[in-house]
């Protein structure tokens, strides 16, 4: 385990993991960083609904297959592929593979800012 100044430079995974989830959530501002990220670890069929941010989001698939919606465009990304979503673009992804989806979602912001798309009844879509 790191000691001294090195210990403060390491953010342990268990401090970033939400209870009951394998996905890690790092919000940069709390750690002196100008970026935030999710290290997604989803099962088949999982993924967020349509949402958007006022900054770019960059995804790199580490393992599995993600079907990504960016505005009106739907693409499939697999291990090693990278996709970028521009600010204000409605987007979503779903694990459409047969195993785990591991993906880094880099937010070009020190804090997460997200607007979820809802239907006329206020339910997430």
């Amino acid at each position: 385990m790191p000691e001294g100044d090195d210990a403060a430079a390491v953010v342990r995974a268990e401090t970033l993991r939400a209870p009951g989830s394998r996905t890690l959530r790092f919000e940069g501002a709390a750690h002196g960083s100008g970026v935030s990220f999710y290290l997604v670890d989803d099962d088949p069929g999982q993924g967020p609904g349509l949402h958007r941010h006022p900054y770019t989001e960059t995804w790199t698939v580490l393992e599995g297959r993600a079907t990504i919606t960016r505005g009106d465009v739907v693409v499939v990304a697999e291990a090693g592929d990278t996709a970028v979503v521009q600010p204000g673009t409605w987007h979503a992804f779903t694990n459409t593979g047969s195993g785990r989806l591991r993906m880094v979602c880099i937010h070009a912001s020190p804090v997460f800012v997200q607007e979820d798309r809802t239907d006329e009844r206020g339910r997430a879509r």
Side-chain angles (χ1 to χ4, degrees):
M1 177 148 176
E3 296 181 16
D5 290 339
D6 290 339
V10 174
V11 180
R12 298 289 175 201
E14 58 269 13
T15 67
L16 302 176
R17 188 173 290 115
S21 176
R22 294 187 310 256
T23 294
L24 305 182
R25 180 183 188 273
F26 175 87
E27 194 160 33
H31 305 283
S33 177
V35 299
S36 300
F37 69 84
Y38 287 97
L39 179 53
V40 171
D41 190 345
D42 281 351
D43 289 321
Q46 291 183 319
L50 283 170
H51 62 282
R52 64 183 175 185
H53 314 283
Y55 47 77
T56 59
E57 183 175 1
T58 303
W59 297 315
T60 297
V61 178
L62 303 174
E63 176 184 342
R65 174 185 294 174
T67 296
I68 297 170
T69 300
R70 297 184 318 182
D72 295 332
V73 176
V74 177
V75 297
V76 174
E78 297 182 336
D81 294 341
T82 297
V84 178
V85 177
Q86 295 303 310
T89 302
W90 291 105
H91 60 278
F93 65 84
T94 303
N95 177 352
T96 53
S98 59
R100 284 173 132 171
L101 170 64
R102 295 186 65 247
M103 181 166 74
V104 179
C105 304
I106 303 166
H107 292 239
S109 174
V111 296
F112 291 109
V113 179
Q114 179 170 311
E115 177 186 0
D116 294 323
R117 178 169 273 178
T118 58
D119 65 14
E120 62 281 352
R121 294 183 182 167
R123 296 177 297 197
R125 296 200 289 174

